[in-house]
Each structure stands twice: as C-alpha cells, then as structure tokens.
C-alpha cells in the first residue's frame, strides 16, 4: 500500500473482514487535520484488491480536498465495500460494516455513495452513531442530492459569468450527461432559468421524466459530446474528460456534479488550452457533503447549509478568477488552495 501511487500520506487505512456476513471493506482516512474524517461508502465489485485499495486511497484524499473547500470541520475519509450492490446486500453485511465504522471511534463518519442508499446506512446506524445521511432522527438530513444540485446550478452560473460575461443562462444551451438524482434536479434549475437542454442517460425512464419536466431534447449517450452547446454538465460518470472527448466538445464551460471528471489531473491543462473554463468537480459538487455535515453537527440547520453553500460558490469564483489571471488550469488552483487549508490546520 505504501508503494501505491495513490498513497498520499494517509493517516490510516483500515481493513475489515467479517467471515460470517462476508463483509470485506476498507476505510481509508486521509486526514483528520480539519476534524473527524467524513465521506460516503461505495459498494463496488472490484476486479481485485489492489483496485479496491487504490479507490479507497484516491477517494479519501478527494474527500479531504472537498471538505476543505467546503469549509466544514471535517477531514477526508471514505469506505469501500467489495461486492455487487445489486446482489450482495444483506442486513448482516451492513451491521458488520456499522461495527467496523464504530471501531474507529468517530475518526470516520460514513454516509451514502455509489451503490449505497439510505436503507443501507440506516442498518449500519444500528451499530454505530457515526453514520449520517439518515431519513429519521432529530438532525436527519436525508438525500443530499437536491443540495448538491443547488450548488451545481449556482456554480454553473458563476462559471458562465466568467466565460460569457453574464450569469444569465436564458437561451444558453446546456448538454447534460446523466439525469439521475443530481443531474435531474440540476436540469430543472437550468430549465427554470431559461436554458435550452439537451440530455442523455442510459436510464430511459429517467430521461423521459426529465424531458417531460424540462422540455429537453434527448440524445444517445455517446452523442452528448458532439452537441452544439455552450455548457457541458457531467452528472453521471467519472473520467469522461479525456483526449478523445475533449476534441469533440464544442462548449466554453464544463460544470457539473460528477466526481473525478478529468481522466487524469493533467487533462486540466489541455482543457484550459482548448479555451474551456472547467469548474473543478470537488468544489462545485460540495453541497451534498455540507448537508451531511449539518446532520453530523447534531442539529440540522437549513440557514447554516445555505450560508456554507454560498461560501463554497464564492470559493469557486476565487478559484476560477485565480486560474484565469494566472493562466493556470482551474483544477491545479483548487488543489493548491485545498492543500494549503489542510496544511494550515495541521500546523
Ligand atoms: P445517480 O445514480 O442518481 O445518477 C447517475 C445517472 O447517470 C443515472 O441516471 C445513470 O443512469 C446515469 N448514467 C450512468 N452511466 C451513464 C452513461 N454512460 N451515460 C449517461 N448517463 C449515465 O447518481 P447521483 O447521486 O446523481 O450522482 C451523479 C454523480 O454526481 C456521481 O458521479 C456522484 O459521485 C456525483 N456526486 C453526487 C452527489 C450527491 O449528492 N448525490 C454529491 C457529490 C457528487
């Protein structure tokens, strides 16, 4: 693990095996400098354990950066469970996972991520108090996606302001990849603002629903990169900005909620050279973790969430302005600010 190229001085990487339930999980804690680590749990059928470890290392570091940029009192951590989320879920597995989280005594707070829903976290929460994103309880914050989408929409406006000289999205064409939770809510905000939408998804039901609500035009998944649009908003998969897709994009802005949009960080410079302004993913999509942090604080307050979300969008503006002034890629500027915040807390 120490030789893994994604190892970044993580404070701890904890391996759990529960023979009875079949749980095999890793909880990686990148940093607790800013507070107890927090980050969702991902359930994925990894091809091998090295891929699993790499994912845990990379995702937990990403959470440190995301939480630092969101100005919440949390470090970064992430849990990964090895298994197929469609076929391998049992109550025993999530109870064992809850005990694993509990054994870290609050150094790590869990919530939902890919493959994990509120029902799973609620089972884990029967074994630990260090679980959030719940639907019941005094401070329950529920599904974070609407807050993530609110931040993504405001972030798109801020990026448009710098790219087009106005944050008015009326008449702008936005190509939206993925209309699930985050992409669906974001599309509705965009339509309300008068944007023309072109949407894609592999889920025909979700597509039909959002098209009906927003009047969006539907294209096939692979066609989304070729759309004549002003803005590309990725809200599905990671690693979708690569050499091939960048050549095809005709937009001036990339801004959406998906995690890890650049195939490698170095793509940021190629995006910049292509004349596209990219809103760094872990900055623009921090609304969800802000909502979770409000629950972890013990007394959920909508006013606190709104204030943090506004500060986050101001931070996004600072990142974009710094990058434009210095001629550097936006993701590099964001990384630098996040690292500085973590280093200051450590010091
Ligand atoms: P979701 O599962 O509700 O939605 C994802 C959508 O993408 C689904 O409708 C799915 O069918 C679609 N999709 C999958 N493959 C596709 C493809 N090849 N082409 C087009 N569409 C495809 O998930 P979500 O919660 O909306 O999350 C979306 C992204 O945002 C993820 O990258 C996630 O990590 C990130 N994110 C989510 C939150 C949150 O609050 N939910 C917070 C931060 C980041």
């Amino acid at each position: 693990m120490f030789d893994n190229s994604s190892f970044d001085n993580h404070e701890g990487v904890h391996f759990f095996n529960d023979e009875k339930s079949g749980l095999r999980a890793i909880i990686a804690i990148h940093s607790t400098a800013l507070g107890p680590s927090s980050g969702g749990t991902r359930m994925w059928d990894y091809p091998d354990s090295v891929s699993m470890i790499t994912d845990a290392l990379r995702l937990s570091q990403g959470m440190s950066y995301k939480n630092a940029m969101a100005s919440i009192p949390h470090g970064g951590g992430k849990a990964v469970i090895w298994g197929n989320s469609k076929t391998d879920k049992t109550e025993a597995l999530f109870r064992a996972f809850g005990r694993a989280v509990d054994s870290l005594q609050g150094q790590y707070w869990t919530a939902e991520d890919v493959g994990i829903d509120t029902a799973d976290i609620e089972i884990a929460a029967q074994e630990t108090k260090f679980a959030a994103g719940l639907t019941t309880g005094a401070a329950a914050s529920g599904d974070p996606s609407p807050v993530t989408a609110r931040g993504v929409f405001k972030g798109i406006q801020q990026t448009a302001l710098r790219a087009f000289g106005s944050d008015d999205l009326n008449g702008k064409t936005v190509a939206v990849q993925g209309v699930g939770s985050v992409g669906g809510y974001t599309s509705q905000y965009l339509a309300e603002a008068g944007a023309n939408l072109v949407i894609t998804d592999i889920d025909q039901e979700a597509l039909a629903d959002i098209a009906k609500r927003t009047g969006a035009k539907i294209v096939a998944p692979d066609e989304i990169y070729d759309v004549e649009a002003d803005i590309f908003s990725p809200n599905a998969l990671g690693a979708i900005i690569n050499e091939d897709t960048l050549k095809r994009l005709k937009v001036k802005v990339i801004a959406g909620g998906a995690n890890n949009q650049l195939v490698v960080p170095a793509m940021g410079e190629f995006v910049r050279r292509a004349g596209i302004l990219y809103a760094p993913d872990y900055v623009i999509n921090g609304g969800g973790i802000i909502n979770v942090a409000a629950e972890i604080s013990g007394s959920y307050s909508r006013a606190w969430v709104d204030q943090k979300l506004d500060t986050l969008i101001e931070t996004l503006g600072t990142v974009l302005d710094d990058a434009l002034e210095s001629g550097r890629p936006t993701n590099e500027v964001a990384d630098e600010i996040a690292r500085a915040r973590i280093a200051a807390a450590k010091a």
Side-chain angles (χ1 to χ4, degrees), residues 42 66 113-114 143-146 148 177-183 200-203 206 221 234-238 257-259 285-286 288-289:
R42 178 166 294 193
K66 185 184 295 204
D113 190 48
V114 176
D143 178 10
S145 312
T148 303
Q177 181 180 50
V179 290
S181 306
V182 175
T200 195
D201 201 294
I202 50 170
D203 180 337
N235 294 289
L237 315 166
N259 277 314
N285 73 14
I289 196 69

